[in-house]
Amino acid sequence: MSLKSRGELPSRSVISQKWTLLLCVGCFCAGMLFTNRMWAVPESKGITRTTAVEAEKLKLVSEGCDPKTQKFVKRDSKDIIGEVHKTHHAIQTLDKTISNLEMELAAARAAQESIVNGSPISEDLQKTESSGRKRYLMVVGINTAFSSRKRRDSVRATWMPQGEKRKKLEEEKGIIIRFVIGHSATSGGILDRAIEAEDKKHGDFLRLEHVEGYLELSAKTKIYFATAVALWDAEFYIKVDDDVHVNIATLGETLVRHRKKPRVYIGCMKSGPVLAQKGVRYHEPEYWKFGEAGNKYFRHATGQLYAISKDLARYISINQHVLHKYANEDVSLGSWFIGLDAEHIDDRRLCCGTPPDCEWKAQAGNVCVASFDWSCSGICRSSERIKDVHRRCGEGENALWNAVF
């Protein structure tokens, strides 16, 4: 008898299906349990969940703005700025060194030219070569001519200290004053010998490597500043005419107000007409450079007295061979500073009139720096009248020796 006929096969089939179903359910449950145990990440003592605050900090760190590291960033910035300042200071020091070397070179060239031309080396140049450079407040160059002996004597008798007082002025106040003159067309002629004799008596001349002439005033002005900056290390360099009255202490007090400024050009600023007509005084041959007929010059200091700072004097010294000269020396000087970062200072005390103008101002407590007559471009008959101007408008001798610059 077969199994099928006995009925055993169907009963076993039913039992297998039940156990099979239970076995599948058991395996599924076991699998779920096993899966949960394997993928659940246990929380370690050293690992904590990320909070919202910490997530924000992580974001700041990723952007380079972490508050803790920000201190190091600021510190690095300060270090960089400090290095920049050190580099800038080193450049400035190097620039000053180069400028000093250029001035020493200019002085050496002036000495060499004097030897080659057979001219005696000035006492000031010898002092510069034999000793270190002393710092001065200002160098005052009084522009003069061979025919102006009476004017020079009148200046010596009024506002320009003489002898030991002049030396004291240089040593204690740092003020150098010299008459500025070149040479005649005939070197070693009677005119030059007269100046040499006068210089031996007073010792107050600055001789230039320049041939004197009315039409050469622009060249003389350029050579004066180049020579002065080579001889003396001063804060200011002044040019004044020999027919102008000057109060030295008031001039010094005026200049020291601007000593912290790097490039200053001080004077009575004006803008006169450009004269194209030939034969007239102050004729400008290059009038066409200033535009249409009737135009005016650019603003510049009047020529009776003006002052420039050391940087501008150095600029003239270094570039003297390429600076253009116009017919009028005050116009030429003003043109040399066009395009430079120089401050023009208009001070009307540098161009007061003669009495009663300067006298009234002195009585009101506003002492003038310089006095002259506009009609004469200086004090009219200065050799005769400057003593009266000095008596009525002078600041007094004590003002100079009591002044602190």
Side-chain angles (χ1 to χ4, degrees):
M1 183 180 290
S2 64
L3 292 173
K4 187 176 180 178
S5 62
R6 290 180 183 179
E8 293 179 1
L9 185 59
S11 64
R12 287 180 181 177
S13 177
V14 172
I15 294 171
S16 296
Q17 290 177 355
K18 290 180 179 180
W19 282 106
T20 300
L21 180 60
L22 290 174
L23 183 61
C24 289
V25 172
C27 289
F28 176 77
C29 292
M32 291 293 293
L33 180 63
F34 177 76
T35 302
N36 288 337
R37 290 185 175 232
M38 288 296 295
W39 288 99
V41 180
E43 294 185 0
S44 175
K45 293 181 180 180
I47 303 177
T48 57
R49 292 183 180 179
T50 304
T51 64
V53 175
E54 290 171 338
E56 184 66 23
K57 288 184 178 181
L58 289 173
K59 183 178 179 182
L60 292 173
V61 171
S62 66
E63 295 177 355
C65 299
D66 182 47
K68 293 181 180 180
T69 60
Q70 196 171 11
K71 294 180 180 179
F72 295 100
V73 174
K74 289 181 179 179
R75 188 175 301 170
D76 292 340
S77 300
K78 291 180 180 179
D79 293 340
I80 293 171
I81 294 173
E83 292 298 326
V84 171
H85 285 310
K86 289 180 181 178
T87 304
H88 183 65
H89 178 71
I91 292 172
Q92 288 182 329
T93 303
L94 181 60
D95 181 63
K96 290 180 179 179
T97 303
I98 293 173
S99 298
N100 290 333
L101 290 174
E102 287 174 342
M103 289 188 292
E104 291 175 5
L105 178 60
R109 285 176 177 172
Q112 185 179 10
E113 289 177 359
S114 297
I115 295 172
V116 171
N117 295 330
S119 302
I121 300 177
S122 67
E123 183 182 352
D124 296 315
L125 189 57
Q126 291 176 350
K127 289 179 180 178
T128 302
E129 291 178 337
S130 62
S131 60
R133 290 174 65 85
K134 179 183 176 180
R135 290 295 301 275
Y136 295 93
L137 171 63
M138 60 181 176
V139 175
V140 181
I142 307 173
N143 188 37
T144 190
F146 290 112
S147 60
S148 300
R149 175 63 188 264
K150 290 184 177 180
R151 287 185 179 181
R152 291 191 293 273
D153 286 340
S154 66
V155 169
R156 293 184 180 112
T158 53
W159 60 268
M160 180 180 180
Q162 293 297 295
E164 292 300 321
K165 289 184 178 180
R166 183 169 61 84
K167 294 180 180 179
K168 180 181 178 182
L169 184 67
E170 296 176 5
E171 295 174 358
E172 295 185 5
K173 303 299 180 181
I175 299 174
I176 304 290
I177 306 178
R178 295 289 188 276
F179 287 106
V180 179
I181 195 168
H183 298 276
S184 65
T186 305
S187 181
I190 186 172
L191 295 177
D192 291 314
R193 292 198 302 270
I195 292 297
E196 290 171 8
E198 190 178 345
D199 192 21
K200 285 182 180 179
K201 180 179 180 181
H202 298 283
D204 54 6
F205 277 93
L206 171 61
R207 302 298 300 274
L208 304 178
E209 290 301 324
H210 165 75
V211 177
E212 286 289 323
Y214 179 76
L215 298 179
E216 298 298 326
L217 288 178
S218 293
K220 183 178 181 179
T221 300
K222 182 164 56 175
I223 295 172
Y224 157 64
F225 283 118
T227 305
V229 80
L231 293 177
W232 299 288
D233 182 15
E235 295 182 65
F236 298 95
Y237 297 84
I238 297 92
K239 176 261 175 182
V240 59
D241 289 338
D242 60 5
D243 55 354
V244 173
H245 180 269
V246 179
N247 284 318
I248 303 175
T250 307
L251 174 61
E253 292 169 355
T254 300
L255 295 180
V256 295
R257 298 173 186 173
H258 310 288
R259 72 191 328 166
K260 293 184 179 180
K261 301 174 183 177
R263 293 168 297 277
V264 291
Y265 172 34
I266 307 171
C268 289
M269 300 297 165
K270 66 174 184 178
S271 179
V274 181
L275 302 178
Q277 185 180 356
K278 292 183 179 180
V280 299
R281 193 179 184 186
Y282 307 127
H283 165 64
E284 179 58 72
E286 296 180 276
Y287 62 89
W288 57 273
K289 288 186 177 181
F290 299 92
E292 301 297 330
N295 279 2
K296 291 186 176 182
Y297 287 113
F298 40 79
R299 301 290 287 181
H300 62 278
T302 185
Q304 284 80 7
L305 186 148
Y306 46 72
I308 61 175
S309 58
K310 179 168 62 177
D311 286 353
L312 294 182
R314 283 178 176 174
Y315 172 80
I316 293 174
S317 176
I318 295 170
N319 300 283
Q320 58 181 308
H321 301 296
V322 295
L323 295 177
H324 185 69
K325 302 183 296 292
Y326 289 102
N328 302 302
E329 54 97 6
D330 52 354
V331 173
S332 295
L333 183 73
S335 71
W336 299 338
F337 303 146
I338 290 180
L340 298 185
D341 187 15
E343 182 177 352
H344 290 53
I345 297 175
D346 182 19
D347 193 331
R348 311 314 291 184
R349 291 182 303 162
L350 274 64
C351 55
C352 295
T354 54
D357 179 51
C358 58
E359 189 175 22
W360 290 340
K361 292 177 180 177
Q363 291 174 357
N366 188 21
V367 179
C368 293
V369 173
S371 302
F372 57 90
D373 300 309
W374 283 103
S375 59
C376 298
S377 296
I379 298 175
C380 298
R381 306 189 316 278
S382 64
S383 58
E384 302 171 11
R385 296 182 57 236
I386 195 170
K387 288 185 178 180
D388 181 62
V389 175
H390 183 67
R391 179 179 59 84
R392 299 171 63 179
C393 299
E395 61 195 354
E397 186 176 357
N398 291 335
L400 178 59
W401 304 115
N402 294 333
V404 178
F405 302 117

